[in-house]
Amino acid sequence: MTAVSATAALLLATGCSGGGSGPAGPASAPPPRTAASASASPSAPASPSPSAPPAKGSVRVVSTVAQGLKSPWGLAALPGGDLLVSSRDGGTITRVDAESGKLTVLGEVPGVAPGGEGGLLGLALSPTYAEDHLVYAYFTTESDNRVARLLYDETAPPGQQLGAPDTVLRNIPKGVVHNGGRIAFGPDGMLYVGTGDSGDTGLAQDKASLGGKILRMTPDGQPVHGNPEADSVVYSYGHRNVQGLAWDAQKRLWAAEFGQNTYDELNLVRPGGNHGWPETEGKGGGGAFVDPAVQWPVADASPSGIAVARGSVWMAALRGERLWRVPLAGGEPSAAPQAFLKGTYGRLRTVLAAGGDRLWLVTSETDTRGTPEAGDDRILLLEVR
């Protein structure tokens, strides 16, 4: 990742910007929460965007796509518009009818062992899903975190539509905390995996370990020609807990990462780059490490999923209970981050581009750390600018 540094003014803005919510959604949107509830690398240098998006954006809640979900985590969009969502603690994958909100449980993923922050986490569809109907899942077992693919048979009875897991990658370190879990196929057709240090900080700097890394591999789990080191799936290292992966229009990879006590990060990922943890947290690597593009006090973020839409990175915040917008110009922010939906829907776990100016947003109030209200958890459809 090319090292990115924002100006001191931008740093100040990221630390104190509160932002505001966009206009209220239509009647189908849920009520706000009460105050009482709490190949070549796709990250290779590319020419800057011809123009930056506006410094200020907006968010409108269009509708509630689904509600009553328990510990939702991963989200994937099926051809035709329906969604698949994973339950971290239930170990199940559920199909959401995007029109009616009807929930149909595909089945339970065998081998999932929920505990702490572990369980059934990220989801992604095979790049050739139309032909193979494979769903990829990142999950915690009794011994490790792993990535597996499962055949989704829509013709089978509900609850019996998932085939046996075919393990793609195993032996990712597991822990009560910092299990990472986001997976996504990049514009190069390769599978990217965000992992955590599992509470063992030394793993992030150990390139022989899969913990505290961003990994890049073929759909079969093999190292990709052109990876920083031959015969290794490690793409970047020195990460604490990566839970957000997304690419911009120039095919640059961005990642959201939990800090410890001081700063959470949005990183422009450099192949082979050392992103500093545990030697540094936030900016200040002094050239030895890759600095984040943006940093936030942990109370304002605790970032999970990210998506790119309308020229901006959109980042879901758990502890911060808000959706952050970071407008981009080339490989760096073009204006101070702006916050939306602050405290309106509680903890926010996953955000996924829905095409054009639309995003899907998943709340996370039933993950044992929130304060669930009637209807939680939800998937919202947003219009963003």
Side-chain angles (χ1 to χ4, degrees):
M1 136 166 141
T2 52
V4 180
S5 60
T7 63
L10 176 58
L11 175 59
L12 179 61
T14 60
C16 63
S17 172
S21 299
S28 57
R33 300 177 62 80
T34 63
S37 60
S39 99
S41 162
S43 291
S47 57
S49 302
S51 61
K56 298 294 184 180
S58 66
V59 170
R60 182 175 73 91
V61 179
V62 176
S63 65
T64 302
V65 179
Q67 57 184 348
L69 299 167
K70 301 305 176 187
S71 62
W73 211 101
L75 191 70
L78 290 165
D82 285 356
L83 301 169
L84 297 182
V85 60
S86 64
S87 169
R88 185 193 71 181
D89 299 337
T92 57
I93 299 176
T94 295
R95 180 169 183 153
V96 179
D97 186 302
E99 295 296 326
S100 68
K102 178 183 177 182
L103 305 179
T104 302
V105 177
L106 276 58
E108 185 173 342
V109 177
V112 174
E117 296 175 359
L120 180 56
L121 304 175
L123 297 178
L125 299 187
S126 163
T128 52
Y129 177 83
E131 291 78 40
D132 57 35
H133 298 281
L134 291 175
V135 177
Y136 284 70
Y138 182 114
F139 58 93
T140 310
T141 73
E142 292 291 351
S143 59
D144 64 0
N145 286 302
R146 63 183 58 178
V147 180
R149 53 192 175 190
L150 305 95
L151 178 65
Y152 172 24
D153 181 1
E154 298 183 31
T155 66
Q160 303 174 36
Q161 297 178 338
L162 293 178
D166 173 22
T167 300
V168 170
L169 185 71
R170 65 181 75 238
N171 296 326
I172 302 169
K174 62 166 282 188
V176 176
V177 296
H178 306 174
N179 288 288
R182 196 68 62 184
I183 60 175
F185 281 94
D188 56 356
M190 298 298 109
L191 178 62
Y192 291 74
V193 178
T195 74
D197 66 12
S198 66
D200 182 349
T201 60
L203 298 182
Q205 290 293 319
D206 179 2
K207 288 192 280 186
S209 170
L210 299 178
K213 308 294 190 298
I214 294 175
L215 312 175
R216 177 178 181 243
M217 66 200 75
T218 69
D220 294 325
Q222 299 302 308
V224 183
H225 177 71
N227 270 5
E229 294 189 15
D231 301 321
S232 174
V233 296
V234 173
Y235 192 63
S236 62
Y237 66 107
H239 298 286
R240 184 170 182 266
N241 192 19
V242 177
Q243 287 193 8
L245 299 171
W247 288 262
D248 63 23
Q250 284 70 46
K251 302 181 180 180
R252 289 177 290 242
L253 175 58
W254 296 82
E257 180 173 344
F258 286 83
Q260 184 172 11
N261 299 315
T262 310
Y263 290 119
D264 294 322
E265 302 177 359
L266 176 66
N267 285 290
L268 176 59
V269 179
R270 185 170 75 196
N274 183 347
H275 290 258
W277 177 255
E279 304 303 322
T280 63
E281 180 181 357
K283 300 183 181 182
F289 306 109
V290 180
D291 273 347
V294 186
Q295 62 185 28
W296 290 264
V298 295
D300 293 345
S302 295
S304 189
I306 63 172
V308 175
R310 303 284 294 192
S312 298
V313 172
W314 301 84
M315 186 178 82
L318 291 163
R319 182 178 171 187
E321 297 189 351
R322 65 199 78 177
L323 179 68
W324 284 102
R325 174 187 184 263
V326 181
L328 302 177
E332 59 187 46
S334 60
Q338 185 181 8
F340 295 94
L341 306 177
K342 183 179 178 181
T344 307
Y345 298 104
R347 294 161 57 83
L348 305 180
R349 170 67 67 181
T350 296
V351 59
L352 182 67
D357 60 358
R358 299 296 174 100
L359 296 173
W360 288 294
L361 180 65
V362 181
T363 68
S364 190
E365 285 292 291
T366 59
D367 67 347
T368 74
R369 295 183 178 180
T371 308
E373 295 183 350
D376 284 332
D377 271 310
R378 316 168 192 268
I379 301 175
L380 307 173
L381 178 63
L382 310 180
E383 179 183 84
V384 299
R385 300 283 181 181

